Amino acid sequence: TPAMPMLLFSRELNVENDQLRAAFRGRIAAFQSLLVLEITAGHNAGILIRKVAANDAAVLLTSLVQGVAIRWSLGAREFVLVDEGLRLLDVQLQLLSAKEA
């Protein structure tokens, strides 16, 4: 959603609208909770390394989304957002994988 990074860094969200900020914080928390469930399932199935706690891995994956959005927004949209996000997701999943590539 191309407008999302602009909204995330808007003055309205960050300074002027507590309700909007709380709504976004809730969405991120819900997303991280879902990631924790999936990562835990990956740990239990032996797909993901247990060395990285599920909560930490969820924060890393959430930060990936946020980081790509920031780079895309600040970089004048010089790359395809979805392509870059998927590329870096593959890298992170390889790093979290219990199996050697």
Side-chain angles (χ1 to χ4, degrees):
T1 308
M4 193 65 76
M6 290 179 276
L7 181 58
L8 288 173
F9 306 117
S10 70
R11 178 170 177 76
E12 181 178 354
L13 178 65
N14 290 294
V15 177
E16 298 172 356
N17 193 326
D18 291 338
Q19 287 180 313
L20 184 60
R21 189 172 47 257
F24 271 88
R25 192 172 40 247
R27 289 284 189 195
I28 290 171
F31 180 55
Q32 284 184 330
S33 294
L34 292 172
L35 287 173
V36 168
L37 291 174
E38 293 300 320
I39 293 163
T40 300
H43 285 164
N44 293 338
I47 297 168
L48 300 176
I49 58 171
R50 291 182 178 269
K51 217 189 291 191
V52 179
N55 286 333
D56 292 339
V59 169
L60 288 172
L61 291 169
T62 305
S63 297
L64 168 68
V65 174
Q66 294 166 337
V68 170
I70 290 169
R71 286 182 36 240
W72 182 76
S73 182
L74 294 176
R77 298 159 185 82
E78 295 172 344
F79 56 86
V80 178
L81 188 60
V82 172
D83 293 348
E84 182 70 354
L86 290 174
R87 183 185 74 76
L88 291 173
L89 175 62
D90 283 342
V91 170
Q92 276 201 352
L93 292 176
Q94 286 177 19
L95 294 171
L96 294 171
S97 176
K99 301 178 194 294
E100 292 190 33

